[in-house]
Amino acid sequence: YISVTGVQTCALPISFIEWRIAGNALLDLENEGFQTDTQSQRLDVLQEFCAFLIHVTDRLVHDLMSEEERQRFIVALALKMADTYHDNRLDSDDSGKDFKPLYIETLNARMADYAGFTFDDRKPGYAFKRYLGEAVTDTMGDRDRKWISDQVMEIEVPDMLKTLEKGLKDLFDSGNAETPSGASAQPG
């Protein structure tokens, strides 16, 4: 089994990978002409993408770790992502406010919501992707709102999943992270 230190060590590169994946998805939306007006709004979009990615990661590692390991891993991942989010919020908001509690509150709500959606063959179901699309739409500007969800579901989610799967596989199959019983990042 993975040690506490090993779980935290695994969470660090995955948090970096997920933040980059979320940033690339946001950039893709903006390059397609979808409107974001402020850095705060951009961070709201990133928060939605990150919550989705953390939940998907939880589903993907389910068979790789014991329940206790998976829980420690996802908590470590969420806390690292909250730190990254907080640091980026501080860069755009000089209030000195602690943004981590709000991030964790939103993440917990999304984790509970996503838990009710299907996830088969290592992929989120339609309602799962639709929920992300609508959450992102709610954070974006008014221009082309009716197309944002489709862009997220049809273009961004497949791209994000491909990169996330590769990152998880590279981490767990590289020998840089132990997996229980020599499991591979792609079971079955």
Side-chain angles (χ1 to χ4, degrees):
Y1 291 101
I2 301 174
S3 67
V4 171
T5 305
V7 166
Q8 292 168 339
T9 301
C10 292
L12 184 62
I14 295 301
S15 70
F16 176 77
I17 289 167
E18 290 184 0
W19 187 261
R20 296 246 347 209
I21 291 169
N24 287 339
L26 172 62
L27 188 58
D28 288 347
L29 288 175
E30 291 174 333
N31 287 339
E32 289 298 321
F34 296 109
Q35 177 184 352
T36 55
D37 295 320
T38 65
Q39 183 64 8
S40 179
Q41 186 181 43
R42 295 179 91 235
L43 287 164
D44 290 343
V45 173
L46 286 170
Q47 181 178 19
E48 293 298 341
F49 282 136
C50 288
F52 173 84
L53 289 164
I54 291 169
H55 189 87
V56 168
T57 299
D58 188 29
R59 300 271 189 117
L60 291 172
V61 302
H62 184 268
D63 294 335
L64 298 176
M65 301 175 178
S66 72
E67 183 66 26
E68 182 184 334
E69 290 169 332
R70 185 174 60 85
Q71 189 173 43
R72 286 194 324 253
F73 173 69
I74 295 301
V75 167
L77 175 60
L79 292 174
K80 180 57 188 154
M81 198 70 79
D83 287 341
T84 302
Y85 177 83
H86 171 77
D87 291 346
N88 280 272
R89 270 286 181 200
L90 283 180
D91 287 345
S92 67
D93 178 344
D94 278 342
S95 70
K97 180 178 175 182
D98 184 359
F99 293 99
K100 291 180 217 171
L102 182 58
Y103 180 87
I104 296 295
E105 181 181 317
T106 300
L107 177 61
N108 285 336
R110 295 300 179 270
M111 293 292 277
D113 293 341
Y114 286 133
F117 298 127
T118 60
F119 191 86
D120 295 320
D121 195 29
R122 300 180 64 78
K123 292 185 174 77
Y126 179 84
F128 198 144
K129 294 184 290 188
R130 171 62 67 191
Y131 188 92
L132 172 64
E134 294 303 318
V136 170
T137 298
D138 289 345
T139 65
M140 299 282 290
D142 290 331
R143 188 175 61 230
D144 296 324
R145 283 180 68 85
K146 68 181 184 175
W147 304 113
I148 295 169
S149 190
D150 290 338
Q151 174 76 19
V152 169
M153 292 175 62
E154 300 302 322
I155 307 297
E156 305 313 324
V157 167
D159 288 350
M160 292 189 319
L161 294 176
K162 181 179 171 185
T163 307
L164 178 60
E165 283 265 22
K166 182 183 181 325
L168 288 170
K169 182 174 179 10
D170 289 351
L171 177 67
F172 287 111
D173 288 350
S174 69
N176 291 331
E178 302 169 34
T179 52
S181 309
S184 170
Q186 289 191 306

Short mmCIF file of all heavy atoms in Angstrom, two decimals, residues 110-146:
data_model
loop_
_atom_site.label_atom_id
_atom_site.label_comp_id
_atom_site.label_asym_id
_atom_site.label_seq_id
_atom_site.Cartn_x
_atom_site.Cartn_y
_atom_site.Cartn_z
N ARG A 110 -19.43 20.17 -5.46
CA ARG A 110 -19.30 19.53 -6.78
C ARG A 110 -19.04 18.04 -6.65
O ARG A 110 -19.57 17.24 -7.41
CB ARG A 110 -18.19 20.18 -7.61
CG ARG A 110 -18.42 21.62 -7.98
CD ARG A 110 -19.67 21.82 -8.82
NE ARG A 110 -19.84 23.21 -9.12
CZ ARG A 110 -20.51 24.08 -8.38
NH1 ARG A 110 -21.12 23.68 -7.28
NH2 ARG A 110 -20.60 25.35 -8.73
N MET A 111 -18.20 17.66 -5.69
CA MET A 111 -17.91 16.24 -5.48
C MET A 111 -19.20 15.48 -5.16
O MET A 111 -19.43 14.39 -5.68
CB MET A 111 -16.88 16.04 -4.37
CG MET A 111 -15.49 16.57 -4.68
SD MET A 111 -14.60 15.69 -5.97
CE MET A 111 -13.92 14.33 -5.04
N ALA A 112 -20.05 16.07 -4.33
CA ALA A 112 -21.32 15.44 -3.99
C ALA A 112 -22.24 15.37 -5.21
O ALA A 112 -22.89 14.34 -5.45
CB ALA A 112 -22.00 16.21 -2.85
N ASP A 113 -22.28 16.44 -5.99
CA ASP A 113 -23.13 16.45 -7.19
C ASP A 113 -22.64 15.43 -8.22
O ASP A 113 -23.42 14.66 -8.75
CB ASP A 113 -23.16 17.84 -7.82
CG ASP A 113 -23.85 18.87 -6.95
OD1 ASP A 113 -24.61 18.49 -6.04
OD2 ASP A 113 -23.61 20.08 -7.16
N TYR A 114 -21.33 15.43 -8.49
CA TYR A 114 -20.78 14.50 -9.48
C TYR A 114 -20.93 13.05 -9.06
O TYR A 114 -21.00 12.16 -9.90
CB TYR A 114 -19.31 14.82 -9.75
CG TYR A 114 -19.07 16.05 -10.57
CD1 TYR A 114 -18.11 16.98 -10.18
CD2 TYR A 114 -19.77 16.30 -11.76
CE1 TYR A 114 -17.86 18.13 -10.94
CE2 TYR A 114 -19.53 17.44 -12.51
CZ TYR A 114 -18.58 18.35 -12.10
OH TYR A 114 -18.35 19.48 -12.85
N ALA A 115 -20.97 12.79 -7.75
CA ALA A 115 -21.08 11.41 -7.26
C ALA A 115 -22.35 10.73 -7.76
O ALA A 115 -22.40 9.50 -7.88
CB ALA A 115 -21.04 11.39 -5.73
N GLY A 116 -23.37 11.51 -8.07
CA GLY A 116 -24.63 10.94 -8.55
C GLY A 116 -24.66 10.61 -10.04
O GLY A 116 -25.64 10.07 -10.52
N PHE A 117 -23.60 10.92 -10.75
CA PHE A 117 -23.57 10.71 -12.21
C PHE A 117 -22.80 9.44 -12.57
O PHE A 117 -21.90 9.01 -11.85
CB PHE A 117 -22.92 11.91 -12.91
CG PHE A 117 -23.66 13.19 -12.73
CD1 PHE A 117 -23.02 14.32 -12.27
CD2 PHE A 117 -25.02 13.29 -13.01
CE1 PHE A 117 -23.69 15.53 -12.09
CE2 PHE A 117 -25.71 14.48 -12.84
CZ PHE A 117 -25.04 15.60 -12.39
N THR A 118 -23.17 8.87 -13.70
CA THR A 118 -22.52 7.64 -14.15
C THR A 118 -21.10 7.91 -14.63
O THR A 118 -20.79 8.99 -15.12
CB THR A 118 -23.31 6.95 -15.29
OG1 THR A 118 -23.40 7.85 -16.39
CG2 THR A 118 -24.70 6.55 -14.84
N PHE A 119 -20.29 6.87 -14.46
CA PHE A 119 -18.90 6.90 -14.89
C PHE A 119 -18.58 5.48 -15.32
O PHE A 119 -18.27 4.62 -14.49
CB PHE A 119 -18.00 7.35 -13.72
CG PHE A 119 -16.59 7.67 -14.13
CD1 PHE A 119 -16.27 8.93 -14.58
CD2 PHE A 119 -15.59 6.72 -14.04
CE1 PHE A 119 -14.97 9.25 -14.95
CE2 PHE A 119 -14.29 7.02 -14.40
CZ PHE A 119 -13.97 8.28 -14.86
N ASP A 120 -18.70 5.22 -16.61
CA ASP A 120 -18.51 3.88 -17.13
C ASP A 120 -17.35 3.86 -18.12
O ASP A 120 -17.15 4.82 -18.86
CB ASP A 120 -19.78 3.39 -17.84
CG ASP A 120 -20.95 3.24 -16.88
OD1 ASP A 120 -20.73 2.76 -15.75
OD2 ASP A 120 -22.07 3.62 -17.26
N ASP A 121 -16.63 2.75 -18.12
CA ASP A 121 -15.52 2.56 -19.05
C ASP A 121 -14.51 3.70 -18.94
O ASP A 121 -14.02 4.21 -19.95
CB ASP A 121 -16.05 2.40 -20.49
CG ASP A 121 -15.01 1.85 -21.44
OD1 ASP A 121 -14.13 1.09 -20.99
OD2 ASP A 121 -15.08 2.20 -22.64
N ARG A 122 -14.27 4.14 -17.67
CA ARG A 122 -13.29 5.19 -17.37
C ARG A 122 -13.65 6.54 -17.99
O ARG A 122 -12.78 7.35 -18.26
CB ARG A 122 -11.88 4.75 -17.76
CG ARG A 122 -11.44 3.48 -17.03
CD ARG A 122 -10.07 3.01 -17.38
NE ARG A 122 -9.02 3.94 -16.99
CZ ARG A 122 -8.54 4.09 -15.75
NH1 ARG A 122 -9.02 3.39 -14.77
NH2 ARG A 122 -7.56 4.94 -15.50
N LYS A 123 -14.95 6.77 -18.20
CA LYS A 123 -15.40 8.03 -18.80
C LYS A 123 -16.66 8.52 -18.10
O LYS A 123 -17.54 7.73 -17.77
CB LYS A 123 -15.68 7.85 -20.28
CG LYS A 123 -14.44 7.58 -21.11
CD LYS A 123 -14.79 7.53 -22.58
CE LYS A 123 -13.57 7.42 -23.43
NZ LYS A 123 -12.95 6.13 -23.50
N PRO A 124 -16.78 9.85 -17.94
CA PRO A 124 -18.00 10.39 -17.35
C PRO A 124 -19.17 10.28 -18.34
O PRO A 124 -18.98 10.42 -19.54
CB PRO A 124 -17.65 11.86 -17.08
CG PRO A 124 -16.53 12.17 -18.01
CD PRO A 124 -15.81 10.88 -18.26
N GLY A 125 -20.35 10.02 -17.79
CA GLY A 125 -21.54 9.94 -18.61
C GLY A 125 -22.01 11.31 -19.09
O GLY A 125 -21.45 12.35 -18.72
N TYR A 126 -23.05 11.30 -19.90
CA TYR A 126 -23.58 12.53 -20.51
C TYR A 126 -23.96 13.57 -19.45
O TYR A 126 -23.56 14.74 -19.54
CB TYR A 126 -24.79 12.19 -21.39
CG TYR A 126 -25.40 13.42 -22.02
CD1 TYR A 126 -24.88 13.93 -23.20
CD2 TYR A 126 -26.48 14.06 -21.43
CE1 TYR A 126 -25.42 15.07 -23.79
CE2 TYR A 126 -27.03 15.21 -22.00
CZ TYR A 126 -26.49 15.70 -23.18
OH TYR A 126 -27.03 16.83 -23.74
N ALA A 127 -24.73 13.15 -18.43
CA ALA A 127 -25.19 14.10 -17.41
C ALA A 127 -24.01 14.68 -16.62
O ALA A 127 -24.03 15.86 -16.23
CB ALA A 127 -26.18 13.44 -16.46
N PHE A 128 -22.99 13.87 -16.41
CA PHE A 128 -21.77 14.30 -15.72
C PHE A 128 -21.12 15.44 -16.51
O PHE A 128 -20.81 16.51 -15.97
CB PHE A 128 -20.84 13.09 -15.67
CG PHE A 128 -19.72 13.11 -14.67
CD1 PHE A 128 -19.34 11.94 -14.03
CD2 PHE A 128 -19.00 14.25 -14.37
CE1 PHE A 128 -18.29 11.91 -13.14
CE2 PHE A 128 -17.94 14.24 -13.48
CZ PHE A 128 -17.59 13.05 -12.86
N LYS A 129 -20.94 15.23 -17.81
CA LYS A 129 -20.33 16.25 -18.67
C LYS A 129 -21.24 17.47 -18.81
O LYS A 129 -20.76 18.61 -18.83
CB LYS A 129 -20.01 15.66 -20.05
CG LYS A 129 -18.94 14.58 -20.00
CD LYS A 129 -18.57 14.09 -21.37
CE LYS A 129 -19.67 13.27 -22.00
NZ LYS A 129 -19.27 12.61 -23.26
N ARG A 130 -22.54 17.25 -18.91
CA ARG A 130 -23.49 18.36 -19.03
C ARG A 130 -23.43 19.25 -17.78
O ARG A 130 -23.46 20.47 -17.89
CB ARG A 130 -24.90 17.82 -19.24
CG ARG A 130 -26.03 18.84 -19.18
CD ARG A 130 -25.98 19.92 -20.21
NE ARG A 130 -26.20 19.40 -21.55
CZ ARG A 130 -25.99 20.11 -22.65
NH1 ARG A 130 -25.59 21.36 -22.57
NH2 ARG A 130 -26.18 19.60 -23.83
N TYR A 131 -23.32 18.63 -16.62
CA TYR A 131 -23.25 19.39 -15.38
C TYR A 131 -22.02 20.31 -15.40
O TYR A 131 -22.12 21.50 -15.06
CB TYR A 131 -23.19 18.46 -14.17
CG TYR A 131 -23.30 19.17 -12.85
CD1 TYR A 131 -24.54 19.37 -12.25
CD2 TYR A 131 -22.17 19.66 -12.21
CE1 TYR A 131 -24.64 20.04 -11.04
CE2 TYR A 131 -22.26 20.33 -11.00
CZ TYR A 131 -23.50 20.52 -10.43
OH TYR A 131 -23.59 21.19 -9.23
N LEU A 132 -20.87 19.77 -15.82
CA LEU A 132 -19.68 20.61 -15.93
C LEU A 132 -19.92 21.73 -16.93
O LEU A 132 -19.59 22.89 -16.66
CB LEU A 132 -18.46 19.79 -16.37
CG LEU A 132 -17.21 20.61 -16.71
CD1 LEU A 132 -16.69 21.37 -15.50
CD2 LEU A 132 -16.13 19.73 -17.32
N GLY A 133 -20.48 21.40 -18.09
CA GLY A 133 -20.75 22.41 -19.11
C GLY A 133 -21.61 23.55 -18.59
O GLY A 133 -21.34 24.73 -18.85
N GLU A 134 -22.64 23.20 -17.84
CA GLU A 134 -23.53 24.23 -17.30
C GLU A 134 -22.84 25.03 -16.19
O GLU A 134 -23.03 26.25 -16.09
CB GLU A 134 -24.83 23.59 -16.78
CG GLU A 134 -25.69 22.98 -17.88
CD GLU A 134 -26.06 23.96 -18.98
OE1 GLU A 134 -26.41 25.12 -18.67
OE2 GLU A 134 -26.00 23.57 -20.16
N ALA A 135 -22.03 24.37 -15.37
CA ALA A 135 -21.30 25.08 -14.31
C ALA A 135 -20.33 26.09 -14.92
O ALA A 135 -20.22 27.22 -14.44
CB ALA A 135 -20.56 24.09 -13.41
N VAL A 136 -19.63 25.69 -15.99
CA VAL A 136 -18.72 26.60 -16.67
C VAL A 136 -19.50 27.73 -17.33
O VAL A 136 -19.12 28.90 -17.22
CB VAL A 136 -17.84 25.85 -17.70
CG1 VAL A 136 -17.06 26.82 -18.58
CG2 VAL A 136 -16.87 24.91 -16.98
N THR A 137 -20.61 27.41 -17.98
CA THR A 137 -21.45 28.42 -18.62
C THR A 137 -21.87 29.49 -17.61
O THR A 137 -21.84 30.68 -17.91
CB THR A 137 -22.69 27.78 -19.27
OG1 THR A 137 -22.27 26.87 -20.28
CG2 THR A 137 -23.62 28.82 -19.87
N ASP A 138 -22.23 29.05 -16.41
CA ASP A 138 -22.69 29.98 -15.37
C ASP A 138 -21.60 30.95 -14.92
O ASP A 138 -21.91 32.00 -14.35
CB ASP A 138 -23.22 29.21 -14.16
CG ASP A 138 -24.54 28.53 -14.44
OD1 ASP A 138 -25.20 28.86 -15.46
OD2 ASP A 138 -24.91 27.63 -13.65
N THR A 139 -20.33 30.63 -15.17
CA THR A 139 -19.24 31.50 -14.75
C THR A 139 -18.73 32.40 -15.87
O THR A 139 -17.97 33.33 -15.61
CB THR A 139 -18.04 30.69 -14.21
OG1 THR A 139 -17.51 29.91 -15.27
CG2 THR A 139 -18.43 29.82 -13.05
N MET A 140 -19.15 32.14 -17.10
CA MET A 140 -18.63 32.85 -18.27
C MET A 140 -19.45 34.10 -18.57
O MET A 140 -20.51 34.31 -18.00
CB MET A 140 -18.64 31.93 -19.50
CG MET A 140 -17.79 30.68 -19.37
SD MET A 140 -16.03 30.93 -19.60
CE MET A 140 -15.94 31.27 -21.33
N GLY A 141 -18.96 34.88 -19.53
CA GLY A 141 -19.66 36.08 -19.98
C GLY A 141 -20.89 35.74 -20.81
O GLY A 141 -21.17 34.57 -21.11
N ASP A 142 -21.63 36.76 -21.20
CA ASP A 142 -22.90 36.57 -21.89
C ASP A 142 -22.78 36.13 -23.35
O ASP A 142 -23.66 35.48 -23.88
CB ASP A 142 -23.74 37.86 -21.84
CG ASP A 142 -24.24 38.13 -20.42
OD1 ASP A 142 -24.43 37.17 -19.66
OD2 ASP A 142 -24.43 39.32 -20.09
N ARG A 143 -21.69 36.49 -24.00
CA ARG A 143 -21.56 36.21 -25.43
C ARG A 143 -21.51 34.70 -25.69
O ARG A 143 -20.73 33.98 -25.09
CB ARG A 143 -20.30 36.89 -25.97
CG ARG A 143 -20.19 36.83 -27.49
CD ARG A 143 -19.01 37.61 -28.04
NE ARG A 143 -17.74 37.09 -27.54
CZ ARG A 143 -16.79 37.82 -27.00
NH1 ARG A 143 -16.93 39.12 -26.87
NH2 ARG A 143 -15.68 37.28 -26.56
N ASP A 144 -22.34 34.24 -26.57
CA ASP A 144 -22.37 32.84 -27.01
C ASP A 144 -22.62 31.84 -25.88
O ASP A 144 -22.19 30.69 -25.96
CB ASP A 144 -21.07 32.47 -27.74
CG ASP A 144 -20.88 33.26 -29.02
OD1 ASP A 144 -21.89 33.54 -29.70
OD2 ASP A 144 -19.73 33.60 -29.34
N ARG A 145 -23.34 32.24 -24.85
CA ARG A 145 -23.59 31.36 -23.70
C ARG A 145 -24.20 30.03 -24.10
O ARG A 145 -23.90 29.01 -23.51
CB ARG A 145 -24.49 32.05 -22.68
CG ARG A 145 -23.79 33.07 -21.84
CD ARG A 145 -24.73 33.71 -20.84
NE ARG A 145 -25.18 32.80 -19.80
CZ ARG A 145 -24.50 32.55 -18.69
NH1 ARG A 145 -23.37 33.14 -18.46
NH2 ARG A 145 -24.98 31.72 -17.80
N LYS A 146 -25.06 30.05 -25.11
CA LYS A 146 -25.76 28.81 -25.44
C LYS A 146 -24.84 27.75 -26.04
O LYS A 146 -25.19 26.58 -26.09
CB LYS A 146 -26.95 29.08 -26.36
CG LYS A 146 -26.59 29.54 -27.75
CD LYS A 146 -27.86 29.80 -28.54
CE LYS A 146 -27.54 30.17 -29.97
NZ LYS A 146 -28.74 30.30 -30.75
#
